[in-house]
Amino acid sequence: MRIYVAGGGGMLGDAVYHALRSRHDLAIGDVVDRDDWVHHCDVRDFSDYRHHVDAFAPDILIHLAAHTDLEYCETAVDDAYRTNTLGVEHAATIADMHAVPLVYISTAGIFDGRKDSYDDWDEPNPLSVYGRSKFLGERHVQRCVPRHFIFRAGWMMGGGLAKDKKFIGKLVRQLIAGERRLHVVDDKLGTPTYTVDFARNIERMIGTRYYGLYNQVCGGETSRLEVARELVRLLGLDTTVEVVPVGSDHYAAEYPAPRPASERLVNYKLALRGMNHMRDWRVCLAEYVREQFADVIAPLRVPARQCVHAA
Ligand SMILES: NC(=O)c1ccc[n+]([C@@H]2O[C@H](COP(=O)([O-])OP(=O)(O)OC[C@H]3O[C@@H](n4cnc5c(N)ncnc54)[C@H](OP(=O)(O)O)[C@@H]3O)[C@@H](O)[C@H]2O)c1
């Protein structure tokens, strides 16, 4: 297949590129062109977006572009809607002009968190600008693009230090900076989502005609606290690093955007279709740590006194 990927320079785009490149012809655009396989394409600019898709003439359009920083979206509201919602409307029009299916990635952050977990048919009720901007994208795609796939992700992890801007990346950066006490919220529930599994399942699904909206997260429900403890254990730092539970109010100044208490998703529709190939989050986290962080973390396992002597 010829696949155009918009916003493919980020953490999920990295996994999509590596999972699909051997079997498909890819063209990948993003506002950030830090990799040589990414060209500049801004989805806010309809002409620019259309120009790149026209030139490539894909069989399918995968739209990953978004502002994913909740605090940024809460303050730069116009840019959040321009990017996360109008950008998707552009994608829908361009997919229609090319008569190709559209893949859009949504988020567990469209729910209000009052329920413990959400299946594909639960009613969204976003709390934040980011959540609303993504939900409006979902709604537009559902209404305007007959052949669409919408995949809802949870707490994304992947891409290593270069691209993981989210929870795992932030914790590993703190550890590398010398932090030995990680303050982690104990009141947020969710489902991690490994970009590698997510990209592989996109490939499986776009090979079918099972169009529609799907929750697509790793197996196993968990919490930020449990994920942090598992990360520290997998890194071999459980005797030297303390994970300190705190309430979300601890981070009220740093992370003021509203976040649901629970963002747990269940891949109910994928399971019903026999297409749920997402592995358990612990298995994925172990693989992620092994493949991306083993080398950078190894020096941190050396006891402090030895480090001083070596220096
Ligand atoms: N990360 C998560 O936890 C998460 C969870 C659920 C769903 N999602 C969804 O998954 C998709 C992929 O996100 P990701 O996790 O890979 O995040 P990401 O690493 O931030 O990737 C998104 C990419 O889109 C780029 N972008 C921003 N504005 C753009 C524009 N106007 N035109 C073209 N590209 C633009 C970003 O550039 P900058 O880095 O310069 O902004 C970034 O490279 C998004 O739709 C996101 O909403 C993510």
Side-chain angles (χ1 to χ4, degrees):
M1 268 196 269
R2 291 175 67 75
I3 303 176
Y4 190 89
V5 184
M11 59 195 287
L12 180 56
D14 193 75
V16 166
Y17 172 70
H18 287 101
L20 274 63
R21 69 176 168 159
S22 61
R23 285 175 296 280
H24 305 277
D25 287 334
L26 303 178
I28 301 188
D30 200 294
V31 283
V32 181
D33 41 5
R34 64 193 135 219
D35 298 291
D36 56 9
W37 39 269
V38 177
H39 61 263
H40 191 275
C41 171
D42 187 336
V43 301
R44 291 168 298 190
D45 179 342
F46 180 76
S47 310
D48 187 37
Y49 196 177
R50 184 189 165 185
H51 163 77
H52 286 286
V53 180
D54 283 357
F56 188 67
D59 302 309
I60 188 162
L61 175 57
I62 300 184
H63 184 93
L64 307 180
H67 282 304
T68 59
D69 181 325
L70 271 69
E71 276 60 44
Y72 176 81
C73 291
E74 221 55 40
T75 49
V77 177
D78 289 352
D79 193 29
Y81 284 116
R82 238 178 235 127
T83 306
N84 295 357
T85 313
L86 300 192
V88 184
E89 295 189 7
H90 294 164
T93 306
I94 294 166
D96 180 52
M97 291 165 74
H98 283 262
V100 298
L102 174 65
V103 176
Y104 168 61
I105 312 303
S106 189
T107 168
I110 59 168
F111 293 110
D112 61 19
R114 291 200 189 126
K115 284 183 67 179
D116 185 64
S117 66
Y118 294 88
D119 73 22
D120 319 68
W121 290 297
D122 276 312
E123 270 312 309
N125 182 29
L127 305 177
S128 66
V129 172
Y130 173 70
R132 185 159 182 267
S133 68
K134 295 294 295 180
F135 171 56
L136 295 174
E138 263 193 20
R139 210 166 61 180
H140 186 82
V141 172
Q142 283 187 301
R143 286 179 183 170
C144 302
V145 186
R147 289 189 296 152
H148 67 255
F149 293 98
I150 299 173
F151 298 110
R152 287 187 188 138
W155 296 338
M156 207 80 96
M157 53 185 192
L161 283 176
K163 299 203 173 169
D164 189 338
K165 308 172 189 164
K166 295 294 175 175
F167 188 59
I168 298 296
K170 284 179 183 170
L171 291 183
V172 172
R173 270 182 217 101
Q174 285 181 46
L175 293 169
I176 291 170
E179 194 57 67
R180 290 297 170 265
R181 281 164 66 85
L182 298 177
H183 294 87
V184 179
V185 293
D186 60 4
D187 53 6
K188 291 286 184 277
L189 311 176
T191 30
T193 305
Y194 189 32
T195 54
V196 173
D197 284 35
F198 196 89
R200 285 181 189 149
N201 223 44
I202 289 179
E203 188 189 13
R204 283 190 196 95
M205 288 296 288
I206 62 177
T208 73
R209 287 174 185 264
Y210 294 154
Y211 301 117
L213 181 153
Y214 297 90
N215 289 351
Q216 186 167 280
V217 296
C218 282
E221 298 174 336
T222 185
S223 64
R224 290 285 191 204
L225 188 61
E226 192 178 30
V227 173
R229 287 190 168 136
E230 183 65 2
L231 174 68
V232 168
R233 190 188 72 77
L234 288 166
L235 292 170
L237 297 173
D238 36 345
T239 54
T240 48
V241 170
E242 187 187 358
V243 178
V244 184
V246 295
S248 287
D249 51 340
H250 181 88
Y251 285 108
E254 198 175 340
Y255 298 115
R259 288 169 167 78
S262 176
E263 297 181 87
R264 286 177 172 169
L265 298 185
V266 178
N267 301 344
Y268 189 38
K269 275 181 66 186
L270 284 179
L272 290 177
R273 289 203 185 278
M275 295 296 288
N276 185 15
H277 299 280
M278 300 292 289
R279 292 173 293 170
D280 187 87
W281 71 268
R282 287 176 195 273
V283 174
C284 292
L285 183 57
E287 181 178 299
Y288 185 31
V289 164
R290 215 169 38 244
E291 298 205 345
Q292 294 284 350
F293 301 124
D295 293 345
V296 286
I297 289 296
L300 306 181
R301 295 201 194 104
V302 179
R305 227 180 302 143
Q306 246 176 287
C307 283
V308 173
H309 286 313

